[in-house]
Amino acid sequence: MALLDNIVRSITNTFRFKETIFCKENSDLQDRYDALQKLNNEYPNNEDLLSELFTIKQGLNGENEVAYQLKRANIGMYVLRDIKVQHEDLSAQIDYVIITPIFTYYVECKNLVGNITVNDKGDFIRELNIKGKRIKKGMYSPLRQVEAQRAVLRKIWEKNASSLEKILTSQCFEYYRRVLVVATNQETILNTSKAPKEMKYKILRADALVRQLEYDLRHKKSDDLFNTQKSMEQRAQAYLRFTSSETVDYYKFYQDKYDLCHTLSTEEFKNILLEFRKKRSNDLRVPAYYIFTNDELDRILEVKPTTMKELQQAHILSPIRVKRHGEIIIQCLNNATKSYHEK
């Protein structure tokens, strides 16, 4: 009998669905990054934009690393990236929902900076090296964060499940819907040696994610049944039905956040300087490039000098042209900025 079971299991495993299918692969972070890139091109050297862009890029890199690992898996799963589930007054945001033949995982991606230790109380301690000094700081637990999101999803499930479903599966909701925190920064040292036993397998690095999914499948209960590809797809579609379709105009969002509406863009500055060059060359009856060339125009736009000293130190124009046109160029730029702010 055991031999027959092994043969059946072997045949089933051979023909079992093993692909990774992304039902939703777009990410809110990608939309944010694209908007910030566009704004950064229009408002270069804006420190707020550069800082935000760096942070978003780190998070996006982390999500992309998880996607890369999942695509290499040979388990058979449906994946939804950056899910915002909305039902009545309940909402939850999950970086990844992974539906495997037995378990569903809610994954929180963290591109953590510094080394992370989880102590025996389950607290996350971050260790940073700042100017040669090691500084330890507590941080909000990403595990509690994703557990809270699971609790919201449970409430949504309870509102939509039949009475029979609640009776049969309510007790094992968390067993079949697991939470994971994935550290995606390859340079981060993750120490969970003293973490509570029930937490250890829930906190891992990106390169260990697929191994954990495989481990869970190998160590399933004897009465756990493999879901068919069709049932896994139906679960994925159920998440999509509750996913918010609201789109955010992040270009306008960040423009408002950093008050960029009251700042001239590079393109606007360029048009003002081109108009100035045209008028100046006509008044002096010289070719436009005698005032400044297109390459020099680009350098002026990059530096945006506000004083003669800044213009001289930038070494964009020759000393003769700085002397002849510099003050008027500075006046043109400053007047344009002043006039814009007075609108």
Side-chain angles (χ1 to χ4, degrees):
M1 188 68 178
L3 178 61
L4 181 61
D5 287 342
N6 287 335
I7 293 173
V8 171
R9 189 179 299 110
S10 178
I11 294 173
T12 302
N13 188 56
T14 300
F15 293 99
R16 183 170 59 83
F17 160 69
K18 294 184 179 180
E19 298 174 37
T20 298
I21 296 179
F22 275 76
C23 292
K24 180 180 180 297
E25 196 167 3
N26 60 302
S27 168
D28 180 78
L29 287 180
Q30 184 66 61
D31 295 338
R32 289 174 179 268
Y33 180 75
D34 292 343
L36 285 165
Q37 279 281 59
K38 183 177 179 181
L39 285 167
N40 187 52
N41 291 334
E42 296 177 6
Y43 305 91
N45 304 319
N46 182 295
E47 292 185 3
D48 290 329
L49 284 177
L50 290 173
S51 176
E52 186 87 33
L53 191 58
F54 175 79
T55 301
I56 295 297
K57 180 62 174 175
Q58 293 294 98
L60 184 60
N61 287 344
E63 283 192 5
N64 288 340
E65 175 62 22
V66 170
Y68 170 74
Q69 296 293 339
L70 293 175
K71 288 176 181 178
R72 296 172 63 205
N74 193 35
I75 293 173
M77 65 178 81
Y78 279 77
V79 180
L80 301 99
R81 178 175 177 175
D82 188 27
I83 288 295
K84 297 181 181 64
V85 177
Q86 184 74 42
H87 181 66
E88 297 178 357
D89 59 334
L90 299 173
S91 63
Q93 190 279 326
I94 309 289
D95 291 336
Y96 278 96
V97 175
I98 303 171
I99 302 169
T100 72
I102 294 179
F103 306 106
T104 295
Y105 297 84
Y106 303 139
V107 179
E108 178 71 18
C109 300
K110 288 294 180 185
N111 197 316
L112 300 167
V113 177
N115 298 326
I116 306 298
T117 298
V118 184
N119 64 22
D120 56 356
K121 296 179 180 179
D123 298 323
F124 282 66
I125 311 298
R126 188 201 307 268
E127 184 178 296
L128 300 169
N129 192 321
I130 301 177
K131 296 182 179 179
K133 293 184 178 180
R134 290 193 300 178
I135 299 175
K136 292 184 178 181
K137 294 183 177 182
M139 59 177 286
Y140 182 78
S141 168
L143 183 58
R144 294 192 188 103
Q145 180 181 347
V146 69
E147 285 175 340
Q149 302 291 3
R150 179 176 63 181
V152 171
L153 289 169
R154 177 167 188 151
K155 289 180 180 179
I156 294 174
W157 174 80
E158 288 173 345
K159 283 192 173 187
N160 292 274
S162 66
S163 298
L164 182 60
E165 285 177 314
K166 291 178 185 179
I167 293 172
L168 294 176
T169 61
S170 180
Q171 295 300 317
C172 54
F173 182 90
E174 293 186 359
Y175 172 74
Y176 288 111
R177 295 167 181 82
R178 303 186 172 191
V179 294
L180 294 174
V181 172
V182 178
T184 57
N185 187 339
Q186 296 181 358
E187 297 179 358
T188 293
I189 297 175
L190 187 62
N191 181 4
T192 60
S193 60
K194 295 182 179 180
K197 184 178 179 180
E198 67 274 11
M199 286 180 62
K200 288 184 178 181
Y201 84 92
K202 300 176 183 178
I203 308 164
L204 58 155
R205 293 169 59 90
D207 55 6
L209 173 58
V210 173
R211 288 201 302 272
Q212 183 62 54
L213 303 183
E214 292 171 337
Y215 177 89
D216 288 349
L217 289 174
R218 287 197 306 270
H219 293 80
K220 69 182 183 66
K221 295 178 181 178
S222 58
D223 57 348
D224 286 334
L225 298 176
F226 277 87
N227 292 303
T228 64
Q229 180 181 355
K230 183 177 181 180
S231 65
M232 292 164 66
E233 182 180 4
Q234 288 173 341
R235 289 189 182 186
Q237 292 299 325
Y239 282 101
L240 286 176
R241 283 196 297 274
F242 287 109
T243 299
S244 172
S245 58
E246 179 184 1
T247 58
V248 179
D249 184 348
Y250 283 113
Y251 178 88
K252 188 176 186 311
F253 171 81
Y254 285 116
Q255 197 176 43
D256 292 341
K257 180 178 179 179
Y258 297 121
D259 201 24
L260 298 177
C261 293
H262 298 94
T263 304
L264 280 168
S265 69
T266 299
E267 190 64 28
E268 289 169 319
F269 268 121
K270 183 175 184 178
N271 291 335
I272 289 169
L273 286 176
L274 286 172
E275 188 62 32
F276 157 78
R277 185 174 69 173
K278 179 180 178 181
K279 184 177 185 305
R280 182 74 171 166
S281 64
N282 288 338
D283 290 344
L284 298 178
R285 296 183 180 180
V286 296
Y289 63 83
Y290 274 35
I291 314 300
F292 46 73
T293 66
N294 289 339
D295 288 342
E296 289 166 342
L297 169 60
D298 291 338
R299 286 284 291 123
I300 292 171
L301 291 170
E302 183 180 339
V303 175
K304 289 192 179 69
T306 58
T307 65
M308 279 289 287
K309 185 177 181 180
E310 290 178 1
L311 181 60
Q312 290 167 341
Q313 292 176 340
H315 301 294
I316 299 170
L317 304 176
S318 66
I320 293 176
R321 283 189 293 161
V322 169
K323 183 177 180 179
R324 184 172 297 174
H325 312 298
E327 288 187 2
I328 305 176
I329 291 173
I330 295 298
Q331 185 179 0
C332 175
L333 289 170
N334 290 341
N335 285 346
T337 302
K338 181 179 178 182
S339 298
Y340 193 82
H341 286 171
E342 290 175 348
K343 287 182 180 180

